[in-house]
Amino acid sequence: MDFIKWYSEVGIGDVSSVGGKNAALGEMYSNLVPLGVNVPDGFALTAEAYRHFFKETGLDDQIKGILSDLDTKSIKNLQTRGKKVREAILRAELPGDLKNVIAGSYAEMEKKYGKDEDVAVRSSATAEDLPGASFAGQQETYLNIHGIENVLIATKKCIASLFTDRAISYRADKGFSHLDAALSVGIQRMVRSDVASSGVAFTIDTETGFDKVIIVNSIYGLGEFIVQGKVIPDEFIIFKPSLENGAKNSIISRNLGKKNIKLIYAKDGTRQEKVSSGDQQKFSISKEETVQLAKWCLQIEKYFSKKHGHYQPMDIEWAKDGKTGELFIVQARPETVVSGEDKNIFKEYKLKKAGKVLVSGIAVGSKIGAGKVRVLRSAKNISLFKKGEVLVTEITDPDWEPIMKIASAIVTDKGGRTSHAAIVSRELGIPCIVGSNNATKALKNGQEVTVDASGGQVGNVYEGIIAFDTKEYRLDKIPEIGTKIMVNIGSPDEAFKSHNLPAKGVGLGRLEFIIASHVRFHPNALLDYKKLREGKKTPYINKLLKEIDALTPLYKDKAQFYVDELAMGIAKIGATFYPHPVIIRFSDFKTNEYRTLLGGELYEPQEENPMLGWRGASRYYDPRFKTAFGLECQAMKIVREDMGLSNVVPMIPFCRTPEEGKQVIEAMKENGLDRALDSTLKVYVMCEIPSNILLADEFLEIFDGMSIGSNDLTQLTLGLDRDSGIVTHIANENNPSVKKLVAEIIHKCKEKGKYIGICGQAPSDYPEFAQFLVDEGIESMSHGARGEWKSN
């Protein structure tokens, strides 16, 4: 019998013998290490060894008897039988021949790496990590194990973990036999991430299924705290095409996590330690390390896709050795949840009305659920939970699985997108909010709530049961037409959701959403930070400076924070629809809207009618705003040049005269956006003022195309205030005067070979207006990304 196999001796064809984890490690050790991917060496105790142990000790018959009256619907029944099985395994003595072969293999590791080499002892079940049979944390892992006696004890503990309550329940639900299942144990050289960092990575976005990105999560110390949900990790999003094309910067998003604790080595095993406040305000890995990990992840994905004969995104664990500074891949398994979904179905979940927000956190699952709250502090109390309730707890681990599958939604105080609660809820298809900080305090038992994870990165728990609509669209049933259908996107957090829509790009991306949600400060306040810090203080300025410091801990140059946030927001939208054109409009806040930003009162005048005041192009060359506009240009330049997203097209809003257009183009040149130096750069202008059409020849000499803003164009053509409900009955975009102007500009742009599209509301509100645009030969129409495909 083969009781032991080294990683160099196994591959993915050996899952039945060494399980999914060990088989993948062996495959990588043999085939990817030669290509430069670091994988720690180790060996696997085989399924044959597991069965030998059970046969020699009579455990087979014992377990069969214990589980003969198993009832997974009864928590007490499940807990009692699970405990008895585990105790029987831990009492049983490993056969002598098995002990000897484990001891001999561990001695070989000691010869290679040193006496009492510390190892990770990992479970690798032979049925896990297969399509339709994956689940987070089914079996156990034991870290910092050294000395043969401790290795043997950890090996038995791993074998016993095949019979945890959640594993028994899971097999029963999946229809797997408890006695046909087998466990392999991996004994792998430890990477000293306890004095560095570790984390997980996915080669697909696990929320939306967007497969052109790699998500890297990182924390300080050993990686267990990510899955346990005790720490919200740093998150990096890397765009695969930019990575492959050798772009200067392929990281299109990065978010600082809450890394207040870490797991480190203890004398035996591990212990928790606080992270210093200084380290909490830093990323736990460098940009260079992030890119290196992403390159390895891409190599791993391509290797296993080729091996499987189909595209196979991967779920990967990595660690950094603090002693040597080296990075290692310590696990890789197929991602089977989002990658297995039908890409031709687009589902939309939408609340029918607004509600009072009780709790907010990180949204997982893009769905909505409702029910009565059940706050549980410990998995020992899961018998109190009733089907259809909303589970509210601090964090979850695999012991919670028996009730998670019957919850209508899950809300946790701690954890990030790769925590146990997030992974399990994703697989179960139920809405989840993690990292809320205060759900267990803010929500009360029996309280009726609605959990909404459908709105992007932020999820909300609302008071009461709120009705919601669920719509499903078959994307493969949408007919092709000559006019390009594009989408409008405001929030970058919404972008990835729309990746599988049959859209030909983005007709309008708005910087205002990024500024209001991600930056929050008036750009001049960030530019003047040093001046404000050194100048005369008022309570308002003191408060403003504190807010800036709190939100920009990584930046000495506060204006760079503005640039980076804009660049990453634009990049997420640009990457989603790459290589199709993505039109990003420079900021079009009115003065009253700029005043609502932090610090805005210091810089914005009061206007009687901001809609017709200092907005759009008129700000960009004005000395009071020109430097701030330069920050927007710098962000656009980074996205196009450094990140390789040359499909992003800048657009100028509310440009009243050709002279203004020329001044804006000059300001763009001064900030590196120069069409003479970049042949791929195009600059569009919004067509939303009658002067844009009356002087179309002059405007089209300056710009490469136009996008019709039908909302403002209607307002300014008919003299209607679009914010007033009193006069809106008089006319809409179907008015002959508006249609005459629209037809004229479509024909003029086509005559000159310039782009012409529409990004206003009208085609979605009025199907007959959409038909009119198509008949006139418009190049593209766009509106909201969600649920607009019928009307378009």
Side-chain angles (χ1 to χ4, degrees):
M1 280 190 189
D2 259 337
F3 291 158
I4 291 291
K5 286 189 177 178
W6 288 88
Y7 287 158
S8 59
E9 300 174 307
V10 296
I12 57 172
D14 299 302
V15 172
S16 61
S17 176
V18 297
K21 289 188 184 76
N22 286 331
L25 281 166
E27 191 73 37
M28 290 191 295
Y29 190 82
S30 297
N31 298 285
L32 292 175
V33 168
L35 301 179
V37 179
N38 291 341
V39 179
D41 197 6
F43 60 89
L45 188 71
T46 64
E48 288 85 350
Y50 169 91
R51 292 192 177 99
H52 177 65
F53 171 39
F54 272 43
K55 185 180 176 184
E56 290 296 307
T57 56
L59 280 168
D60 276 336
D61 292 335
Q62 284 187 61
I63 292 170
K64 188 176 181 180
I66 294 168
L67 297 180
S68 60
D69 60 347
L70 174 69
D71 178 10
T72 57
K73 291 177 183 174
S74 164
I75 299 294
K76 189 174 181 182
N77 177 288
L78 174 64
Q79 289 176 331
T80 302
R81 275 136 195 81
K83 185 180 180 184
K84 283 184 178 179
V85 171
R86 294 190 296 276
E87 287 175 346
I89 293 170
L90 293 173
R91 277 197 308 267
E93 189 74 20
L94 286 170
D97 52 354
L98 198 48
K99 275 187 182 179
N100 290 338
V101 76
I102 295 171
S105 300
Y106 180 69
E108 284 189 47
M109 288 188 80
E110 288 183 304
K111 283 179 191 173
K112 191 173 180 180
Y113 301 114
K115 185 164 176 57
D116 283 349
E117 172 64 15
D118 46 316
V119 294
V121 182
R122 303 181 185 278
S123 310
S124 182
T126 57
E128 72 176 341
D129 303 327
L130 299 176
S134 67
F135 211 82
Q138 274 295 311
Q139 280 78 48
E140 302 292 352
T141 292
Y142 298 92
L143 305 176
N144 186 25
I145 305 300
H146 45 85
I148 185 56
E149 288 306 318
N150 290 322
V151 169
L152 293 172
I153 292 167
T155 298
K156 271 209 300 185
K157 285 181 178 179
C158 279
I159 291 171
S161 75
L162 187 60
F163 292 91
T164 54
D165 298 346
R166 75 265 183 177
I168 293 170
S169 174
Y170 179 70
R171 281 195 297 276
D173 288 347
K174 291 286 183 181
F176 298 147
S177 163
H178 299 292
L179 294 174
D180 286 346
L183 189 88
S184 168
V185 179
I187 296 167
Q188 184 182 32
R189 184 191 177 203
M190 275 290 290
V191 175
R192 290 299 305 271
S193 60
D194 62 306
V195 286
S197 311
S198 60
V200 297
F202 293 89
T203 63
I204 191 170
D205 179 48
T206 52
E207 298 308 311
T208 65
F210 183 44
D211 59 8
K212 286 192 175 70
V213 290
I214 294 164
I215 315 291
V216 174
N217 286 175
S218 174
I219 62 172
Y220 293 116
L222 302 168
E224 298 302 290
F225 276 4
I226 283 189
V227 174
Q228 290 177 13
K230 291 189 175 180
V231 177
I232 297 175
D234 298 331
E235 181 180 81
F236 306 86
I237 301 178
I238 300 92
F239 187 47
K240 290 177 186 175
S242 295
L243 187 68
E244 291 184 278
N245 295 336
K248 186 177 177 183
N249 179 16
S250 55
I251 302 171
I252 62 170
S253 176
R254 58 190 185 125
N255 288 301
L256 192 69
K258 295 178 181 176
K259 313 174 297 294
N260 58 322
I261 55 173
K262 61 183 176 179
L263 190 66
I264 62 169
Y265 274 18
K267 185 178 179 183
D268 291 302
T270 57
R271 65 180 175 87
Q272 180 178 308
E273 183 177 88
K274 286 185 179 179
V275 174
S276 70
S277 56
D279 282 346
Q280 287 181 46
Q281 299 299 332
K282 297 176 186 173
F283 285 110
S284 45
I285 50 172
S286 68
K287 285 184 179 179
E288 294 75 19
E289 288 167 339
T290 305
V291 171
Q292 179 62 72
L293 285 168
K295 286 179 178 177
W296 284 354
C297 289
L298 194 56
Q299 276 182 280
I300 291 166
E301 180 188 75
K302 285 184 172 182
Y303 178 84
F304 282 101
S305 294
K306 187 176 179 182
K307 194 82 180 174
H308 288 296
H310 59 80
Y311 171 62
Q312 180 56 71
M314 300 296 289
D315 170 356
I316 295 162
E317 294 182 23
W318 63 269
K320 178 183 175 181
D321 194 311
K323 298 292 186 181
T324 66
E326 295 174 287
L327 293 167
F328 287 88
I329 301 297
V330 296
Q331 243 182 74
R333 63 180 73 82
E335 195 289 327
T336 59
V337 180
V338 289
S339 57
E341 293 175 351
D342 188 340
K343 302 296 186 290
N344 283 314
I345 294 177
F346 182 76
K347 291 183 179 178
E348 179 190 20
Y349 298 82
K350 196 171 185 181
L351 291 174
K352 287 188 175 181
K353 65 176 185 178
K356 180 184 176 183
V357 177
L358 302 174
V359 167
S360 294
I362 301 167
V364 177
S366 302
K367 293 182 180 179
I368 300 173
K372 290 184 177 179
V373 168
R374 174 68 66 179
V375 180
L376 293 177
R377 303 282 178 177
S378 166
K380 292 176 183 175
N381 300 321
I382 61 176
S383 59
L384 298 173
F385 193 84
K386 297 183 178 70
K387 185 176 181 180
E389 290 182 328
V390 174
L391 173 60
V392 178
T393 187
E394 186 179 20
I395 56 173
T396 67
D397 60 35
D399 289 333
W400 294 83
E401 184 272 326
I403 63 168
M404 294 175 81
K405 63 190 178 188
I406 59 172
S408 61
I410 297 169
V411 184
T412 67
D413 288 345
K414 297 181 179 179
R417 293 186 196 282
T418 48
S419 65
H420 177 266
I423 294 168
V424 172
S425 64
R426 217 175 272 127
E427 175 163 335
L428 292 171
I430 59 175
C432 176
I433 293 173
V434 295
S436 69
N437 294 318
N438 66 335
T440 55
K441 293 177 181 175
L443 304 176
K444 307 301 178 188
N445 276 328
Q447 184 178 16
E448 291 188 329
V449 297
T450 300
V451 179
D452 182 7
S454 69
Q457 286 192 328
V458 177
N460 293 314
V461 179
Y462 294 98
E463 186 176 53
I465 305 292
I466 303 174
F468 60 92
D469 287 323
T470 305
K471 293 182 181 178
E472 189 173 288
Y473 304 92
R474 288 291 314 185
L475 302 181
D476 52 352
K477 302 293 184 186
I478 296 173
E480 282 283 342
I481 61 173
T483 304
K484 292 177 185 172
I485 302 298
M486 304 170 85
V487 296
N488 291 351
I489 290 183
S491 170
D493 300 338
E494 291 280 324
F496 287 179
K497 283 185 180 180
S498 308
H499 75 95
N500 61 337
L501 291 176
K504 302 300 181 185
V506 173
L508 177 64
R510 303 179 181 93
L511 285 196
E512 299 90 80
F513 281 85
I514 305 171
I515 295 167
S517 300
H518 292 261
V519 178
R520 297 174 54 197
F521 297 102
H522 193 289
N524 283 340
L526 297 172
L527 285 163
D528 288 348
Y529 175 79
K530 190 175 179 184
K531 194 188 298 182
L532 292 169
R533 175 67 66 193
E534 294 170 354
K536 186 180 177 182
K537 302 293 190 303
T538 66
Y540 179 83
I541 289 174
N542 281 331
K543 185 184 177 191
L544 175 63
L545 289 168
K546 279 184 182 177
E547 288 170 324
I548 292 174
D549 289 340
L551 287 173
T552 61
L554 296 171
Y555 292 88
K556 285 186 179 177
D557 179 357
K558 304 303 179 182
Q560 191 61 45
F561 165 74
Y562 191 85
V563 172
D564 286 354
E565 288 297 319
L566 287 186
M568 288 186 287
I570 295 168
K572 285 181 85 170
I573 300 171
T576 303
F577 293 93
Y578 180 87
H580 295 301
V582 170
I583 302 169
I584 300 291
R585 186 180 69 190
F586 285 121
S587 63
D588 192 25
F589 276 137
K590 290 78 179 170
T591 48
N592 61 320
E593 293 167 333
Y594 262 121
R595 282 181 69 84
T596 64
L597 296 175
L598 297 172
E601 293 176 29
L602 299 174
Y603 302 99
E604 295 297 324
Q606 295 273 10
E607 291 187 296
E608 286 297 320
N609 191 347
M611 185 73 76
L612 297 179
W614 192 37
R615 61 177 285 201
S618 61
R619 299 181 73 96
Y620 301 159
Y621 57 86
D622 189 303
R624 290 171 294 175
F625 195 80
K626 187 176 180 181
T627 307
F629 175 63
L631 301 180
E632 296 182 29
C633 294
Q634 289 170 41
M636 190 73 71
K637 183 177 168 68
I638 288 169
V639 170
R640 285 181 47 83
E641 297 179 12
D642 293 358
M643 296 179 175
L645 290 161
S646 57
N647 62 317
V648 171
V649 182
M651 181 162 68
I652 311 302
F654 221 76
C655 187
R656 294 173 170 97
T657 67
E659 289 70 30
E660 273 202 318
K662 288 175 184 175
Q663 287 179 280
V664 172
I665 292 294
E666 195 56 41
M668 290 175 68
K669 280 185 186 177
E670 291 171 20
N671 287 284
L673 292 175
D674 188 347
R675 286 174 292 186
L677 302 176
D678 181 358
S679 61
T680 68
L681 175 63
K682 295 184 183 301
V683 183
Y684 294 163
V685 66
M686 289 288 291
C687 178
E688 52 192 341
I689 309 170
S691 64
N692 300 143
I693 299 159
L694 294 169
L695 298 176
D697 288 324
E698 289 88 340
F699 276 104
L700 290 171
E701 283 295 312
I702 301 164
F703 296 104
D704 300 299
M706 289 185 164
S707 182
I708 300 165
S710 55
N711 300 355
D712 267 343
L713 184 61
T714 301
Q715 170 179 245
L716 297 172
T717 301
L718 294 165
L720 299 172
D721 181 353
R722 76 186 204 196
D723 288 339
S724 168
I726 300 172
V727 293
T728 52
H729 67 281
I730 295 171
N732 57 43
E733 288 88 340
N734 277 313
N735 186 278
S737 62
V738 177
K739 291 175 81 171
K740 187 173 181 180
L741 288 172
V742 169
E744 186 176 331
I745 197 62
I746 292 173
H747 299 158
K748 181 65 74 172
C749 286
K750 291 187 74 177
E751 176 190 308
K752 290 184 173 288
K754 299 290 179 94
Y755 168 80
I756 181 66
I758 185 167
C759 57
Q761 182 89 15
S764 289
D765 285 350
Y766 309 110
E768 67 275 16
F769 191 81
Q771 187 62 57
F772 155 72
L773 292 170
V774 172
D775 293 343
E776 293 298 328
I778 199 161
E779 189 174 333
S780 75
M781 295 188 291
S782 66
H783 193 56
R786 296 165 63 190
E788 300 296 342
W789 294 92
K790 278 186 177 178
S791 55
N792 274 352

